[in-house]
Amino acid sequence: MKIRRVLATAVALAVTTPAALLSVSPAYADAKPAAQTQERQSKPTIKELEEAAAEAQKAYDKAAQAKAAGHVELEKTLDALSVGGTHPLAVAAATAEQAAKDAAAAKTTADQSVTDAKAALDALPENATEEEKAAAATALSEAEATAATAATAKTTADAAATEAGKKVEDARVAATSAYGVLVKAAEDALAVKAAADAALAKAIEEAEEGEEGEGGQDCEPELDLTSKVTGLPDKLVAGTSTDFSLRVTNGSDRHMDKVLTFVSIHATDKSGLKDTEKFFRLQWSTKSAPKWQNADADDYIDGVGALKPGAHADVKLRLTLDKATPAGNGVAFFAADFFNEDGSCGGAPDLDMYEFDVKAAGSKPGKTEDVKPSTTPRPGNTGTTPQGSASGTPAATGSLAATGSSSATTSIALAGGAAVLLGAAAVFVVRRRKTGSDA
């Protein structure tokens, strides 16, 4: 059957609008649901997607060049900050270190003078004159005073050396962190490029296959077909299985002949660069199909069947993580579609997105009611387009939207983070296939 793209429009639009990636802001967290009658956005052309992919390539090339130049500067800075380096902080640290060594040597000499003076006083013969005894006592007193002064000087010099060393270390950390920003920017630019390339590839594929439903009708968004997740923890632990549920509800006034649920899991290691989905196994069961079954390659679950107006159906889900699953981050996408015998079709215009952490084997599991769907309005607006629009913009993370900063560094990170999520959503959205009698 032909691939369905009710949701793909907004994903592709986000990729073609770089400014949209920078529009992620706390204002989005207050977006409210819109009226349920909204026109679908026009789909970007392949030419526009090609231009977007080309721009993403240019941006990545620039970020990669900046990263390479930054690495050269980092090496220079670290070399200058090393022992014997020419950086002012390194010179000051070396001077303070030498002063501390000199103060330590002076204290050692003074302490020895005290020892010698005590020995001289103790060695006086019994017939020593009062003048000789007084002179020996005076020598001891003076040696002790000198030793006390030397001890204070050593303490001061040690503190100065420690402070100078800390300044050098702070400078090293700052230089490394600055380079880290360039590394992150290059990684984010690569993610944007990957998302743009994926959107273009899928658009070309679907242009060849066509997107119309059976009977020549286009699939339309249905805001009243909802899917609600319960029992999904905010932390998943490698080597364990987690059971949760998905309730699909037909809140509309029309009968739906066949309802499918869409469930997709995307996960990476802590770097965000290495996909770890291969360690995950998703299974499902329903009232009509009670035995656990593995989710198919298209991420669809077909055990719901028909739904009358106002009716609902529950899908039991089980997500198992291999014991070797790397720690990292994950996101689960959920949606529902329907297909009628008369050729009409449609589905929830948005993918509900649930974020979770992946913990190493043996870690403590998360709470089962903490994870909530994250939402972000359609890219390209200023925060006035509410969530749940017919354009079907995939949700971005609430934590990302809540990260506000005026710095260029934070803006770059926000843009990259949004692109990663949109790119991940694009991969899932275009896999939502239109299923008919041959499903």
Side-chain angles (χ1 to χ4, degrees), residues 76-295:
K76 289 181 180 178
T77 300
L78 294 180
D79 182 64
L81 287 169
S82 63
V83 176
T86 58
H87 193 285
L89 291 178
V91 174
T95 300
E97 184 66 26
Q98 184 59 51
K101 290 180 179 179
D102 293 342
K107 182 178 181 302
T108 298
T109 299
D111 289 343
Q112 184 61 48
S113 296
V114 171
T115 300
D116 294 343
K118 286 182 178 180
L121 180 61
D122 293 340
L124 287 175
E126 293 182 0
N127 60 351
T129 64
E130 292 299 323
E131 288 78 6
E132 290 175 333
K133 293 179 179 180
T138 299
L140 175 58
S141 177
E142 291 176 347
E144 290 176 336
T146 300
T149 300
T152 300
K154 181 180 183 301
T155 299
T156 301
D158 287 344
T162 299
E163 180 62 22
K166 183 177 182 300
K167 289 181 178 180
V168 170
E169 184 59 29
D170 289 345
R172 289 196 187 101
V173 172
T176 303
S177 297
Y179 175 64
V181 171
L182 297 178
V183 172
K184 184 64 167 59
E187 292 173 353
D188 291 342
L190 180 59
V192 173
K193 176 183 175 300
D197 291 342
L200 174 59
K202 289 299 180 181
I204 293 174
E205 177 184 343
E206 292 184 2
E208 296 174 350
E209 296 181 354
E211 295 184 322
E212 290 191 350
E214 291 182 359
Q217 300 184 44
D218 287 335
C219 291
E220 295 291 340
E222 177 50 76
L223 293 169
D224 286 328
L225 179 59
T226 60
S227 53
K228 182 180 179 180
V229 176
T230 56
L232 179 63
D234 59 351
K235 297 180 180 65
L236 299 179
V237 179
T240 66
S241 293
T242 299
D243 289 352
F244 57 104
S245 62
L246 176 69
R247 170 162 290 188
V248 181
T249 303
N250 178 9
S252 73
D253 57 1
R254 57 176 161 178
H255 185 278
M256 297 178 180
D257 296 332
K258 186 172 186 177
V259 175
L260 303 179
T261 56
F262 177 81
V263 182
S264 223
I265 307 296
H266 177 71
T268 68
D269 63 1
K270 289 183 178 180
S271 72
L273 301 178
K274 182 179 179 182
D275 291 339
T276 58
E277 290 98 296
K278 66 179 182 179
F279 297 100
F280 289 69
R281 181 165 67 109
L282 181 67
Q283 295 176 292
W284 63 272
S285 70
T286 62
K287 185 176 181 180
S288 61
K291 294 183 65 175
W292 286 107
Q293 302 182 49
N294 292 329

Side-chain angles (χ1 to χ4, degrees), residues 309-393:
H312 69 263
D314 294 322
V315 179
K316 295 180 180 179
L317 297 170
R318 173 173 293 171
L319 187 58
T320 301
L321 280 65
D322 189 276
K323 192 173 183 179
T325 306
N329 304 289
V331 62
F333 295 99
F334 301 90
D337 300 326
F338 73 91
F339 306 94
N340 290 335
E341 293 179 0
D342 62 4
S344 61
C345 57
D350 292 310
L351 287 174
D352 283 337
M353 189 180 80
Y354 293 74
E355 300 171 80
F356 56 84
D357 293 332
V358 179
K359 300 297 183 180
S363 300
K364 184 178 180 181
K367 299 179 181 179
T368 58
E369 297 298 335
D370 283 354
V371 177
K372 302 297 181 184
S374 303
T375 54
T376 292
R378 180 189 310 126
N381 284 327
T382 59
T384 58
T385 302
Q387 73 180 60
S389 67
S391 67
T393 306

